[in-house]
Every structure is written in C-alpha cells, then in structure tokens.
C-alpha cells in the first residue's frame, strides 16, 4: 500500500500529460483521483501509522 500510493499519482499525472490521448473531462477526473491517492500516501507513510504497526522480524 505504501509503494502503490506513492507511485500511482505520478503515473496518473504522467499519462494525463500526453497531449491528445484523453478527453479533458477524463483528465480532470483522474487528477482528482490522483489527489485523493496522494492524500492517502501521506497518511499511510506517516509516523503515526508506522508506529501503530511496527515491522515484525
């Protein structure tokens, strides 16, 4: 979850910047989704959640 939530917004924006491949409404919808995923990345990668679930060795 930590890796996917960090990489997906970058991949979404990269695909959205290819000119002429997607309609404008779809780009806006994907950009909104990328913002939501980026917000989740901050929560998942935050120190509070990592403290609640320490790595087991």
């Amino acid at each position: 979850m930590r890796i996917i939530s960090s990489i997906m917004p970058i991949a979404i924006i990269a695909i959205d910047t290819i000119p002429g491949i997607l309609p404008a409404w779809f780009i806006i919808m994907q950009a909104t989704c990328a913002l939501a995923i980026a917000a989740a990345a901050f929560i998942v990668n935050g120190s509070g959640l990592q403290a609640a679930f320490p790595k087991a060795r």
Side-chain angles (χ1 to χ4, degrees):
M1 186 70 180
R2 293 176 61 199
I3 295 169
I4 292 173
S5 66
S6 299
I7 293 174
M8 283 306 295
I10 297 167
I12 290 170
I13 298 301
I15 291 171
D16 287 347
T17 57
I18 300 172
I21 200 167
L22 298 170
W25 65 268
F26 194 76
I27 292 172
I28 293 169
M29 185 178 64
Q30 279 193 324
T32 305
C33 180
L35 289 174
I37 295 172
F42 280 110
I43 294 170
V44 171
N45 292 318
S47 61
L49 195 59
Q50 288 180 7
F53 297 99
K55 289 184 179 179
R57 292 189 185 240

